[in-house]
Amino acid sequence: MSALRFERVWFRYGGNPVLRDLSFDIRAGEAVALLGRNGAGKTTLTKLVVALLHPERGYVRVGDRTTEGRVPEQMAHQVAYVFQHPDQQLFARTVWAEVAYAPKQLHRDSPGVERAVGEALERVGLDAMRDEHPYDLPSAQRKLVTLAAAIAQRPRVLVLDEPTQGLDRAGARRVADIVRRIKDERVAVLAVTHDVTFMAEALERALVLADGRIAFDGPAADLVGDEGRASDLGLDVPPAAQLSAALGLPHRPLRAAEVAAALAQDLDANRT
Ligand SMILES: Nc1ncnc2c1ncn2[C@@H]1O[C@H](COP(=O)(O)OP(=O)(O)OP(=O)(O)O)[C@@H](O)[C@H]1O
Ligand SMILES: [Mg+2]
C-alpha cells in the first residue's frame, strides 16, 4: 500500500484551478522531490497532504485514510510538516518544549516523550540547546528545531518545504543525512526543494508540477543531470554533475564522492 496517494485531485482558491486531476503515489521509504516553477502549486499540494486544504474533487490518502473531513491535528500521528519559514511554525519558549509539543499531543507517556525529543534533538545536533528560547537561535538552527519537532512526531509521511533554504553546506548535508536515515525507517518523504545538491544526496525520485498536473515523474538523477531540463525548472546543475558531464564519465555520477571514485578508477586503469 502506498504511504501517500493523490487520486484525481482538483483544487482551486477561487479562480482557475491550481491542481487539475492530479494523481501520484509515494511508497513507504521513498524520498521524493517536488519541483515546479514559482506558482506551480507546490506549497498548495503540500497543504493538501496535511489537511490544511482539501480537494475540490478527488482524494488525498495517507495510509489507508483520506483527509476528507479531517483537520491538521487529526493528521498529526501520520503526517509531519516542516514549513518553509520556521518563524511561521515556532511558538514554544524552549527548544525542548517546541519539540515535545507533538509527542505530548499524541498522548505519549512522559518517558516516551523524553525519548522522542532527546533522539530528535540529537539527530539535528541541537541536544545542547534544549533549554534555549528558539528565537535566540540563529535562523539556520531555528529551522533545525522545526525539523526535530517533525521527527519527534514519528510520522509515516514527512513533508518538507525547502528544507535546506538558509542553511550552509554543512547544515544542508546534515538534513540530507537525516532524510536518508528517516527513509531507511520506512517513512515517505516529500520535499519541495530548489537545492539540487541536496536532491542528489537524499532524494531518488522527482515529481514536476506544471499546469496543475504531474509533468515528470522519474529518477531525480534524470532531471538533475540534464542541463536543459534543469534550467527549464530554474534549477542549477550540481557542480559534481557538471564535472562528470564535462569529463564524459560513464553513468554521469551526480555526487562528489561518486565522481571522485570514477576518477580514481580511471587513474588506476591508466596506470596498469
Ligand atoms: N491563499 C491563496 N489564495 C489565492 N491564491 C493563492 C493562495 N495561495 C496560493 N495561491 C495561488 O495559487 C498558485 C499556486 O501557489 P503555490 O504557493 O502553491 O505555488 P508554489 O509552487 O509553492 O510557488 P513558489 O515556488 O513561489 O513557492 C499561485 O498562482 C498562487 O498565486
Ligand atoms: Mg511555495
Side-chain angles (χ1 to χ4, degrees):
M1 193 181 52
S2 53
L4 172 65
R5 182 185 186 84
F6 273 56
E7 244 173 71
R8 313 203 61 170
V9 169
W10 289 75
F11 181 84
R12 79 179 83 213
Y13 287 102
N16 291 328
V18 176
L19 305 180
R20 305 164 181 262
D21 203 24
L22 178 137
S23 301
F24 67 89
D25 256 306
I26 300 181
R27 292 189 312 277
E30 229 183 346
V32 178
L34 180 60
L35 310 170
R37 291 168 167 279
N38 288 342
K42 304 179 293 294
T43 299
T44 302
L45 190 156
T46 62
K47 287 181 175 169
L48 284 154
V49 178
V50 285
L52 276 165
L53 299 173
H54 294 89
E56 170 185 328
R57 270 189 269 162
Y59 291 101
V60 175
R61 218 176 267 282
V62 176
D64 55 3
R65 287 198 55 187
T66 73
T67 60
E68 197 177 3
R70 297 171 87 190
V71 297
E73 292 71 42
Q74 294 168 308
M75 304 298 295
H77 60 291
Q78 288 185 306
V79 185
Y81 185 25
V82 178
F83 284 58
Q84 182 167 5
H85 303 290
D87 300 352
Q88 295 173 342
Q89 197 157 11
L90 294 166
F91 65 95
R93 286 164 194 273
T94 66
V95 167
W96 193 90
E98 185 74 41
V99 179
Y101 178 76
K104 280 185 179 167
Q105 289 296 304
L106 297 169
H107 305 297
R108 303 231 171 94
D109 59 12
S110 34
V113 170
E114 191 64 48
R115 226 180 6 254
V117 176
E119 192 198 291
L121 286 177
E122 191 237 294
R123 281 201 200 188
V124 302
L126 290 180
D127 13 9
M129 306 292 174
R130 52 186 288 155
D131 299 323
E132 302 287 324
H133 197 296
Y135 281 99
D136 291 337
L137 302 176
S139 81
Q141 291 192 347
R142 292 206 293 278
K143 186 124 182 170
L144 292 173
V145 172
T146 58
L147 183 57
I151 292 170
Q153 258 173 271
R154 304 240 166 94
R156 117 194 237 155
V157 177
L158 175 62
V159 181
L160 307 168
D161 201 347
E162 297 286 0
T164 61
Q165 195 179 52
L167 301 185
D168 59 14
R169 214 54 252 167
R173 219 172 292 129
R174 185 180 272 279
V175 175
D177 286 342
I178 292 166
V179 168
R180 277 200 299 265
R181 179 154 161 204
I182 203 160
K183 210 171 78 169
D184 287 343
E185 294 165 353
R186 309 290 299 147
V187 174
V189 180
L190 179 64
V192 177
T193 187
H194 281 88
D195 180 345
V196 284
T197 303
F198 168 69
M199 216 157 82
E201 297 285 339
L203 309 170
E204 68 267 17
R205 176 177 160 205
L207 294 174
V208 175
L209 255 183
D211 301 321
R213 293 205 173 87
I214 302 292
F216 172 91
D217 179 357
D222 287 1
L223 276 186
V224 172
D226 182 326
E227 208 148 344
R229 268 182 175 164
S231 72
D232 266 359
L233 290 164
L235 298 173
D236 295 323
V237 174
Q242 288 176 19
L243 188 61
S244 88
L247 293 168
L249 293 177
H251 312 304
R252 295 284 196 278
L254 305 177
R255 300 182 183 99
E258 294 163 352
V259 174
L263 288 175
Q265 211 174 24
D266 224 37
L267 279 175
D268 262 1
N270 284 332
R271 243 186 244 124
T272 50

